[in-house]
Protein backbone atom coordinates (compact mmCIF):
# COMPACT_ATOMS: atom_id res chain seq x y z
CA UNK A 1 0.00 0.00 0.00
CA UNK A 2 1.26 3.45 -0.89
CA UNK A 3 1.45 6.02 1.86
CA UNK A 4 1.04 9.72 1.17
CA UNK A 5 3.58 12.03 2.74
CA UNK A 6 3.34 15.80 2.71
CA UNK A 7 6.61 17.63 3.27
CA UNK A 8 6.35 21.30 4.20
CA UNK A 9 9.44 22.74 2.59
CA UNK A 10 11.25 25.85 1.49
CA UNK A 11 14.64 24.59 2.63
CA UNK A 12 17.48 22.62 1.07
CA UNK A 13 16.88 19.82 3.56
CA UNK A 14 13.21 19.54 2.59
CA UNK A 15 14.20 19.08 -1.04
CA UNK A 16 16.83 16.49 -0.12
CA UNK A 17 14.40 14.61 2.11
CA UNK A 18 11.74 14.65 -0.60
CA UNK A 19 14.23 13.19 -3.09
CA UNK A 20 15.28 10.49 -0.66
CA UNK A 21 11.73 9.44 0.26
CA UNK A 22 10.47 9.66 -3.33
CA UNK A 23 12.91 6.91 -4.27
CA UNK A 24 10.80 4.49 -2.19
CA UNK A 25 8.07 2.75 -4.14
CA UNK A 26 5.75 2.58 -1.11
CA UNK A 27 5.64 6.35 -0.60
CA UNK A 28 3.95 9.07 -2.58
CA UNK A 29 5.62 12.37 -1.73
CA UNK A 30 4.32 15.89 -2.22
CA UNK A 31 6.45 18.90 -1.36
CA UNK A 32 4.73 22.10 -0.33
CA UNK A 33 6.26 25.53 -0.92
CA UNK A 34 4.94 28.88 0.25
CA UNK A 35 5.35 30.26 -3.27
CA UNK A 36 7.43 33.27 -2.22
CA UNK A 37 10.51 32.66 -4.33
CA UNK A 38 9.96 33.67 -7.94
CA UNK A 39 11.96 30.83 -9.47
CA UNK A 40 12.54 28.11 -6.88
CA UNK A 41 15.17 25.51 -7.73
CA UNK A 42 13.82 22.28 -9.25
CA UNK A 43 12.60 20.06 -6.45
CA UNK A 44 12.52 16.71 -8.24
CA UNK A 45 9.15 15.62 -6.78
CA UNK A 46 5.53 16.79 -7.22
CA UNK A 47 5.17 20.27 -5.74
CA UNK A 48 2.17 22.24 -4.57
CA UNK A 49 2.61 25.92 -3.99
CA UNK A 50 0.99 28.68 -1.90
CA UNK A 51 -0.51 28.99 1.56
CA UNK A 52 -3.22 26.59 2.79
CA UNK A 53 -5.29 29.24 4.57
CA UNK A 54 -4.10 28.81 8.15
CA UNK A 55 -4.21 25.72 10.34
CA UNK A 56 -7.83 24.99 9.36
CA UNK A 57 -6.96 25.12 5.67
CA UNK A 58 -4.01 22.81 6.20
CA UNK A 59 -6.15 20.36 8.21
CA UNK A 60 -8.70 20.34 5.38
CA UNK A 61 -5.92 19.71 2.86
CA UNK A 62 -4.63 16.77 4.92
CA UNK A 63 -8.11 15.23 5.04
CA UNK A 64 -8.92 15.85 1.36
CA UNK A 65 -5.66 14.38 0.09
CA UNK A 66 -5.68 11.43 2.50
CA UNK A 67 -2.22 12.36 3.73
CA UNK A 68 -0.81 9.68 6.05
CA UNK A 69 2.17 11.57 7.46
CA UNK A 70 3.27 15.21 7.46
CA UNK A 71 6.87 16.32 7.79
CA UNK A 72 7.54 19.90 8.82
CA UNK A 73 10.86 20.64 7.14
CA UNK A 74 10.41 24.41 7.00
CA UNK A 75 13.04 26.95 7.99
CA UNK A 76 13.56 27.35 11.77
CA UNK A 77 12.35 30.99 11.52
CA UNK A 78 9.14 30.05 9.71
CA UNK A 79 7.30 29.83 13.04
CA UNK A 80 3.79 30.42 11.73
CA UNK A 81 3.67 27.48 9.36
CA UNK A 82 5.24 25.22 12.01
CA UNK A 83 2.60 26.22 14.53
CA UNK A 84 -0.12 25.71 11.92
CA UNK A 85 1.31 22.30 11.04
CA UNK A 86 1.26 21.07 14.65
CA UNK A 87 -2.31 22.33 15.11
CA UNK A 88 -3.55 20.91 11.78
CA UNK A 89 -1.95 17.53 12.49
CA UNK A 90 -3.86 17.34 15.78
CA UNK A 91 -7.12 18.45 14.19
CA UNK A 92 -6.90 16.05 11.25
CA UNK A 93 -5.44 13.18 13.28
CA UNK A 94 -2.43 12.97 10.98
CA UNK A 95 0.97 12.18 12.54
CA UNK A 96 3.67 14.83 12.23
CA UNK A 97 7.47 14.73 12.33
CA UNK A 98 9.75 17.75 12.15
CA UNK A 99 13.16 18.19 10.62
CA UNK A 100 14.86 20.71 12.89
CA UNK A 101 18.43 21.52 12.12
CA UNK A 102 20.31 22.62 15.24
CA UNK A 103 21.43 26.23 15.61
CA UNK A 104 25.07 27.34 15.52
CA UNK A 105 27.18 27.46 18.67
CA UNK A 106 29.55 30.37 19.21
CA UNK A 107 33.23 29.39 19.24
CA UNK A 108 36.40 31.20 20.33
CA UNK A 109 36.80 34.46 18.46
CA UNK A 110 33.10 34.92 17.69
CA UNK A 111 31.72 38.33 18.69
CA UNK A 112 27.99 37.68 18.81
CA UNK A 113 25.32 39.95 20.23
CA UNK A 114 22.22 37.76 20.64
CA UNK A 115 18.85 39.51 20.29
CA UNK A 116 15.29 38.22 20.40
CA UNK A 117 13.76 39.95 17.40
CA UNK A 118 14.68 41.78 14.21
CA UNK A 119 13.46 45.00 15.92
CA UNK A 120 16.02 44.39 18.68
CA UNK A 121 18.68 43.86 16.01
CA UNK A 122 17.90 47.30 14.57
CA UNK A 123 18.39 48.88 18.00
CA UNK A 124 21.57 46.85 18.63
CA UNK A 125 23.28 48.66 15.74
CA UNK A 126 23.39 51.77 17.94
CA UNK A 127 23.11 55.47 17.07
CA UNK A 128 26.46 55.97 15.27
CA UNK A 129 26.48 55.21 11.52
CA UNK A 130 27.95 51.81 10.70
CA UNK A 131 28.45 49.68 7.62
CA UNK A 132 26.01 46.80 8.06
CA UNK A 133 25.57 43.53 6.17
CA UNK A 134 21.98 42.31 6.34
CA UNK A 135 21.84 38.60 5.62
CA UNK A 136 18.11 38.34 6.36
CA UNK A 137 15.04 37.52 4.34
CA UNK A 138 13.60 40.31 2.25
CA UNK A 139 10.53 40.41 4.52
CA UNK A 140 12.63 41.36 7.54
CA UNK A 141 14.87 44.07 6.14
CA UNK A 142 12.16 46.75 6.06
CA UNK A 143 12.52 47.06 9.85
CA UNK A 144 15.93 48.71 9.31
CA UNK A 145 14.26 51.83 7.89
CA UNK A 146 13.96 52.76 11.59
CA UNK A 147 17.76 53.27 11.62
CA UNK A 148 18.47 55.23 8.41
CA UNK A 149 21.88 56.50 9.60
CA UNK A 150 23.63 53.25 8.66
CA UNK A 151 24.96 52.01 5.35
CA UNK A 152 23.30 48.72 4.44
CA UNK A 153 24.46 45.93 2.17
CA UNK A 154 21.42 43.73 1.63
CA UNK A 155 21.59 40.28 0.08
CA UNK A 156 18.50 38.36 -0.95
CA UNK A 157 17.36 35.63 -3.34
CA UNK A 158 14.68 37.83 -4.91
CA UNK A 159 14.86 41.62 -5.30
CA UNK A 160 13.82 43.67 -2.27
CA UNK A 161 10.78 45.60 -3.48
CA UNK A 162 10.13 48.31 -2.54
CA UNK A 163 13.69 49.35 -1.79
CA UNK A 164 14.43 50.49 1.73
CA UNK A 165 13.59 54.09 2.48
CA UNK A 166 17.12 54.89 3.68
CA UNK A 167 19.73 57.12 1.99
CA UNK A 168 22.51 54.55 1.73
CA UNK A 169 21.79 50.94 0.81
CA UNK A 170 23.17 48.59 -1.80
CA UNK A 171 21.63 45.34 -2.94
CA UNK A 172 22.99 42.01 -3.94
CA UNK A 173 21.05 39.12 -5.45
CA UNK A 174 22.46 35.69 -4.65
CA UNK A 175 21.40 32.23 -3.62
CA UNK A 176 23.54 30.15 -1.24
CA UNK A 177 25.50 28.14 -0.38
CA UNK A 178 28.08 30.78 0.48
CA UNK A 179 31.66 29.75 1.24
CA UNK A 180 33.79 31.42 3.89
CA UNK A 181 36.42 32.72 1.45
CA UNK A 182 33.79 34.44 -0.73
CA UNK A 183 32.01 35.84 2.31
CA UNK A 184 35.27 37.21 3.65
CA UNK A 185 36.02 38.89 0.32
CA UNK A 186 32.51 40.39 0.32
CA UNK A 187 32.81 41.75 3.87
CA UNK A 188 36.20 43.25 3.06
CA UNK A 189 35.14 44.74 -0.26
CA UNK A 190 32.20 46.54 1.34
CA UNK A 191 34.18 47.41 4.50
CA UNK A 192 31.45 45.82 6.63
CA UNK A 193 31.64 46.56 10.35
CA UNK A 194 28.70 44.49 11.61
CA UNK A 195 26.63 41.57 10.32
CA UNK A 196 23.00 40.87 11.18
CA UNK A 197 22.13 37.18 10.87
CA UNK A 198 19.61 34.58 11.85
CA UNK A 199 20.84 31.51 13.70
CA UNK A 200 19.91 29.37 10.73
CA UNK A 201 22.23 26.47 11.51
CA UNK A 202 23.66 24.18 8.83
CA UNK A 203 26.57 24.69 6.48
CA UNK A 204 25.06 26.62 3.58
CA UNK A 205 25.02 30.05 5.26
CA UNK A 206 27.72 29.56 7.90
CA UNK A 207 30.38 31.12 5.66
CA UNK A 208 29.54 34.67 6.75
CA UNK A 209 29.76 33.70 10.43
CA UNK A 210 33.20 32.14 9.96
CA UNK A 211 34.31 35.11 7.83
CA UNK A 212 33.10 37.61 10.46
CA UNK A 213 35.06 35.70 13.12
CA UNK A 214 38.21 35.72 10.98
CA UNK A 215 37.89 39.48 10.47
CA UNK A 216 36.94 40.22 14.09
CA UNK A 217 33.56 41.60 12.99
CA UNK A 218 30.56 41.69 15.34
CA UNK A 219 27.48 39.60 14.50
CA UNK A 220 24.04 40.55 15.77
CA UNK A 221 22.39 37.14 16.00
CA UNK A 222 18.61 37.04 16.00
CA UNK A 223 17.56 34.15 18.26
CA UNK A 224 15.30 31.41 17.00
CA UNK A 225 11.57 31.66 17.60
CA UNK A 226 9.79 29.08 19.76
CA UNK A 227 8.55 26.12 17.76
CA UNK A 228 5.93 23.51 18.68
CA UNK A 229 7.11 20.41 20.46
CA UNK A 230 6.68 17.56 17.97
CA UNK A 231 8.82 14.43 17.39
CA UNK A 232 11.80 15.56 15.38
CA UNK A 233 15.16 14.69 13.87
CA UNK A 234 18.11 17.00 13.21
CA UNK A 235 19.24 15.75 9.81
CA UNK A 236 17.75 14.49 6.56
CA UNK A 237 19.42 11.13 7.14
CA UNK A 238 18.07 10.80 10.69
CA UNK A 239 14.56 11.68 9.64
CA UNK A 240 14.59 9.30 6.66
CA UNK A 241 16.00 6.58 8.93
CA UNK A 242 13.16 7.15 11.38
CA UNK A 243 10.64 6.52 8.60
CA UNK A 244 12.67 3.62 7.18
CA UNK A 245 13.08 1.85 10.50
CA UNK A 246 9.64 2.42 11.95
CA UNK A 247 7.63 2.49 8.71
CA UNK A 248 4.85 4.99 8.09
CA UNK A 249 2.35 2.60 9.70
CA UNK A 250 4.10 3.12 13.01
CA UNK A 251 2.96 6.74 13.07
CA UNK A 252 -0.63 6.09 12.03
N1 LIG B 1 11.78 32.67 7.56
C1 LIG B 1 12.96 32.42 7.02
O1 LIG B 1 14.00 32.95 7.46
C2 LIG B 1 13.09 31.47 5.87
C3 LIG B 1 14.37 31.22 5.33
C4 LIG B 1 14.50 30.31 4.27
C5 LIG B 1 13.38 29.69 3.77
N2 LIG B 1 12.15 29.95 4.31
C6 LIG B 1 10.98 29.26 3.75
O2 LIG B 1 10.14 30.24 3.19
C7 LIG B 1 8.77 29.91 3.39
C8 LIG B 1 8.05 31.06 4.05
O3 LIG B 1 8.67 31.37 5.28
P1 LIG B 1 8.01 32.38 6.33
O4 LIG B 1 8.98 32.62 7.41
O5 LIG B 1 7.39 33.51 5.60
O6 LIG B 1 6.84 31.44 6.88
P2 LIG B 1 5.78 31.69 8.06
O7 LIG B 1 5.82 33.10 8.49
O8 LIG B 1 5.96 30.64 9.09
O9 LIG B 1 4.42 31.36 7.29
C9 LIG B 1 3.56 32.36 6.79
C10 LIG B 1 2.52 31.69 5.93
O10 LIG B 1 3.10 31.26 4.70
C11 LIG B 1 2.51 30.02 4.28
N3 LIG B 1 3.55 29.01 4.23
C12 LIG B 1 4.79 29.02 4.83
N4 LIG B 1 5.50 27.95 4.50
C13 LIG B 1 4.71 27.20 3.68
C14 LIG B 1 4.91 25.98 2.97
N5 LIG B 1 6.06 25.29 3.05
N6 LIG B 1 3.88 25.53 2.20
C15 LIG B 1 2.73 26.23 2.10
N7 LIG B 1 2.49 27.40 2.73
C16 LIG B 1 3.48 27.88 3.50
C17 LIG B 1 1.43 29.72 5.30
O11 LIG B 1 0.25 30.33 4.80
P3 LIG B 1 -1.21 29.78 5.17
O12 LIG B 1 -1.45 30.16 6.59
O13 LIG B 1 -2.12 30.44 4.19
O14 LIG B 1 -1.16 28.28 5.00
C18 LIG B 1 1.93 30.43 6.53
O15 LIG B 1 0.91 30.75 7.47
C19 LIG B 1 8.76 28.63 4.21
O16 LIG B 1 8.51 27.57 3.33
C20 LIG B 1 10.15 28.53 4.80
O17 LIG B 1 10.58 27.19 4.96
C21 LIG B 1 11.99 30.83 5.33
Amino acid sequence: MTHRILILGGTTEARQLAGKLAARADLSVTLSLAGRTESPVAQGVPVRSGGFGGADGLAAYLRETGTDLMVDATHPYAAQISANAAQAARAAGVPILALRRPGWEPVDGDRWTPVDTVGDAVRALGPAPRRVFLALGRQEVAAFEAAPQHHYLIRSVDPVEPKLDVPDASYLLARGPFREAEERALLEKHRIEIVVSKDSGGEATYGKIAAARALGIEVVMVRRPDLPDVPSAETVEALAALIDQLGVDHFL
Side-chain angles (χ1 to χ4, degrees):
M1 182 187 161
T2 307
H3 290 299
R4 295 186 65 95
I5 299 194
L6 175 69
I7 300 177
L8 302 175
T11 59
T12 305
E13 286 95 336
R15 176 160 44 86
Q16 291 167 342
L17 179 70
K20 224 174 165 50
L21 296 181
R24 286 179 44 158
D26 59 332
L27 302 179
S28 152
V29 178
T30 301
L31 184 59
S32 174
L33 301 178
R36 302 275 167 75
T37 306
E38 281 155 22
S39 51
V41 293
Q43 305 285 323
V45 295
V47 169
R48 63 148 314 277
S49 184
F52 295 95
D56 292 347
L58 179 51
Y61 175 93
L62 294 173
R63 289 192 198 97
E64 279 159 20
T65 53
T67 296
D68 297 301
L69 173 68
M70 175 161 55
V71 178
D72 174 11
T74 58
H75 191 270
Y77 286 73
Q80 185 63 57
I81 186 70
S82 291
N84 290 355
Q87 197 183 324
R90 265 196 314 275
V94 169
I96 179 170
L97 295 173
L99 180 52
R100 300 259 163 84
R101 71 168 91 125
W104 296 314
E105 292 293 332
V107 299
D108 267 0
D110 276 327
R111 295 177 55 212
W112 291 6
T113 302
V115 296
D116 285 332
T117 64
V118 172
D120 293 337
V122 177
R123 287 181 281 281
L125 298 179
R130 301 171 89 179
R131 298 184 62 84
V132 186
F133 177 39
L134 296 184
L136 298 172
R138 59 177 170 159
Q139 275 113 39
E140 286 99 355
V141 296
F144 290 85
E145 289 182 346
Q149 70 274 32
H150 305 296
H151 164 80
Y152 293 107
L153 172 64
I154 300 166
R155 182 170 66 195
S156 55
V157 173
D158 290 314
V160 174
E161 293 294 349
K163 299 269 185 273
L164 252 58
D165 186 15
V166 297
D168 190 9
S170 48
Y171 298 85
L172 203 60
L173 288 184
R175 198 195 293 267
F178 303 104
R179 315 248 160 268
E180 178 181 347
E182 292 146 23
E183 296 292 65
R184 189 173 168 152
L186 182 76
L187 297 180
E188 285 180 317
K189 179 179 167 207
H190 291 268
R191 292 177 286 114
I192 295 300
E193 298 167 304
I194 187 163
V195 175
V196 182
S197 174
K198 292 178 181 172
D199 180 11
S200 297
E203 288 295 314
T205 59
Y206 188 69
K208 61 179 175 282
I209 306 298
R213 179 167 62 238
L215 296 169
I217 292 175
E218 187 183 343
V219 176
V220 176
M221 189 67 85
V222 182
R223 284 197 186 93
R224 291 178 165 211
D226 287 335
L227 296 174
D229 191 14
V230 301
S232 62
E234 291 188 349
T235 63
V236 170
E237 290 69 30
L239 197 112
L242 212 57
I243 294 174
D244 278 343
Q245 284 158 16
L246 301 175
V248 173
D249 286 325
H250 170 86
F251 300 101
L252 302 181

